[in-house]
Amino acid sequence: MPPKAALNPRPSWIFMALHGEDPVTGTRESQGGETDRVETIGSCDRTVFRGNFGRVSHGTPVAIAAGDPWRGHRMSLVRPSLVVSSCLVLVAALSSIHTPFTSASSQVESARITAAANVTLRAMPSADAAAVAQLPLGTELVEAGPAGLEKTWVRVRLTDGREGWLQASLARPFDRNWPWPAFDRIIADRLNRKGDGFPSATELVAFIERVAPEYTDRDGRGRIELARLRATSAALSAIPFGAGLREPYASWLAARKGFVTYDEPGGRWMLTDTTVWDVHGEQSETTSADEIGWFAVGNGLAGECEGHLPCYLVWRNRLHGEYLRRHPSGKYAAAALGVIKATADLLIAPAKPGSSYDFDKKRDCRDVALSIDVLTTAVQGARVDGREAAIASLAAVRKTCGAP
């Protein structure tokens, strides 16, 4: 039987952030209007208390998560050796009580979450045993007993009280008080998979949509919105050709009306370009903004140019040009410049006999000149190598119309 001290529900731990300065001791009001004692450091203090604490009494230990990627989230009690996030955190004991985790913490440690789609919960630890339930991705469970059969199976309990066995590799340990690392790992693993069908792809979308409200810090919101875009795009790609009017596809698409469209020439469902750029605008101050912008480029536009020269320039402006305007020194700026230059070089071909491009100087030169001017401005604003070469190629296209 554990010593009584181990059952103390309020071990006196507090977190002190270190930035090479002297710690500052002070107080801060929680949402409940009562006061929490904290020790923190200048910039960390300003980023921690963002309304994420629940109602707590005076003296309740609080955890300071001062840096990315978990800034602003409530933390559970942890052992004194833990280092949290990019702001180094040292745990300091405020009393002489030396206690291990409480029984509540042990329950948190025994929690699991399914990390695969459509996991089968079985009556016995065997692949041949009867199925108790099918568990979607992200189902939260509690361990109900010791692991069996060489620890490849684990007995778990559902929220409705049903119990059964599942393969341990399909359900990861999970801390409900600090869930974001588990969420991020599951999402990343599922997005990196290739060849998943529509049911698995939509399970991932549903999981992301369910946990998205739990990402309350700025960069966390950007990260989960980027994941939502990627997962939705993957689900759309899993819809068979011509099947959009049949179930289960039709109802899923109807629920996203206005955000998705059918690309007739490409025979595919896709996110609208305005949807993606709108998300970018909402997350423009986050660390995921650059990736969201490049995702918009890769997502593309519905339709096709069918050899019409001005159309190709418009497309480059709406995709790669828009990326450069928003991220002139972005991670993919050089790649955007390269695509613009390559397109311009190809479009010089209409001046040659036998070209497949549709170009009428009298009809199209005004549109070509306008597109070239807008694209050139975007390229001139880029702050990476390759800018001058792209400008020269765009100027060569403009000369097709006899303009300088």
Side-chain angles (χ1 to χ4, degrees):
M1 183 172 178
K4 291 183 178 181
L7 301 178
N8 185 339
R10 291 189 177 183
S12 299
W13 299 121
I14 196 166
F15 286 69
M16 181 173 67
L18 299 179
H19 271 180
E21 307 172 30
D22 294 331
V24 178
T25 301
T27 61
R28 182 74 62 145
E29 280 201 16
S30 68
Q31 286 182 349
E34 299 174 82
T35 303
D36 301 309
R37 182 170 184 270
V38 301
E39 293 187 12
T40 185
I41 294 296
S43 62
C44 289
D45 180 74
R46 291 194 294 272
T47 60
V48 172
F49 299 93
R50 313 178 89 191
N52 289 329
F53 289 99
R55 184 176 179 86
V56 293
S57 302
H58 179 77
T60 300
V62 295
I64 295 172
D68 294 329
W70 314 115
R71 181 176 60 203
H73 287 301
R74 186 192 303 119
M75 289 184 58
S76 59
L77 298 178
V78 295
R79 296 188 185 280
S81 60
L82 184 69
V83 174
V84 179
S85 194
S86 63
C87 182
L88 183 63
V89 173
L90 174 67
V91 181
L94 298 185
S95 73
S96 60
I97 300 175
H98 299 285
T99 63
F101 283 167
T102 66
S103 58
S105 298
S106 298
Q107 291 175 359
V108 171
E109 287 184 328
S110 68
R112 286 181 176 261
I113 185 170
T114 55
N118 198 32
V119 174
T120 301
L121 183 68
R122 299 192 180 277
M124 297 293 291
S126 168
D128 298 324
V132 174
Q134 297 299 130
L135 309 179
L137 179 71
T139 300
E140 296 180 23
L141 312 159
V142 176
E143 290 187 26
L149 296 187
E150 300 179 357
K151 298 184 179 181
T152 59
W153 292 81
V154 61
R155 186 173 179 81
V156 297
R157 181 185 305 111
L158 302 179
T159 55
D160 62 9
R162 287 180 295 170
E163 295 187 4
W165 295 81
L166 52 75
Q167 294 185 43
S169 61
L170 301 180
R172 294 190 177 131
F174 177 64
D175 183 350
R176 178 90 280 305
N177 292 322
W178 192 245
W180 305 280
F183 291 164
D184 281 356
R185 177 70 182 275
I186 290 171
I187 291 169
D189 286 351
R190 301 305 295 182
L191 285 175
N192 286 332
R193 289 172 58 87
K194 304 298 182 183
D196 275 353
F198 184 75
S200 294
T202 53
E203 270 196 35
L204 177 57
V205 174
F207 172 65
I208 291 172
E209 291 176 345
R210 177 169 62 81
V211 302
E214 300 198 43
Y215 286 77
T216 55
D217 65 297
R218 185 187 66 181
D219 288 334
R221 290 297 303 172
R223 199 166 60 250
I224 199 66
E225 290 304 323
L226 173 61
R228 191 201 304 256
L229 289 173
R230 287 173 169 167
T232 303
S233 179
L236 291 168
S237 298
I239 298 176
F241 177 76
L245 298 179
R246 303 198 309 264
E247 294 297 343
Y249 316 108
S251 58
W252 192 85
L253 290 169
R256 290 155 180 80
K257 185 178 180 181
F259 301 101
V260 302
T261 188
Y262 187 66
D263 176 22
E264 188 73 37
R268 61 168 184 147
W269 286 91
M270 60 182 289
L271 289 161
T272 67
D273 61 306
T274 54
T275 294
V276 183
W277 286 120
D278 284 349
V279 171
H280 180 280
E282 294 167 359
Q283 309 301 328
S284 61
E285 299 300 319
T286 73
T287 54
S288 298
D290 199 334
E291 293 293 340
I292 295 173
W294 194 244
F295 176 88
V297 175
N299 182 68
L301 302 169
E304 64 181 358
C305 288
E306 298 179 334
H308 189 217
L309 186 148
C311 174
Y312 291 101
L313 296 172
V314 169
W315 277 37
R316 286 292 170 258
N317 180 56
R318 288 178 61 184
L319 298 174
H320 300 80
E322 187 63 23
Y323 173 84
L324 289 174
R325 282 186 285 274
R326 299 185 187 224
H327 298 279
S329 57
K331 178 180 178 180
Y332 304 100
L337 288 175
V339 172
I340 292 172
K341 181 184 184 305
T343 301
D345 291 341
L346 288 172
L347 294 183
I348 298 172
K352 300 178 181 179
S355 170
S356 61
Y357 292 109
D358 172 23
F359 178 62
D360 183 292
K361 285 188 176 183
K362 185 177 180 180
R363 179 192 67 194
D364 296 330
C365 271
R366 180 176 178 276
D367 290 340
V368 167
L370 288 173
S371 294
I372 290 293
D373 289 346
V374 174
L375 260 178
T376 299
T377 300
V379 170
Q380 287 173 335
R383 296 193 287 271
V384 294
D385 292 340
R387 180 179 59 184
E388 298 304 324
I391 291 173
S393 293
L394 289 171
V397 178
R398 210 176 195 285
K399 288 182 180 178
T400 303
C401 290

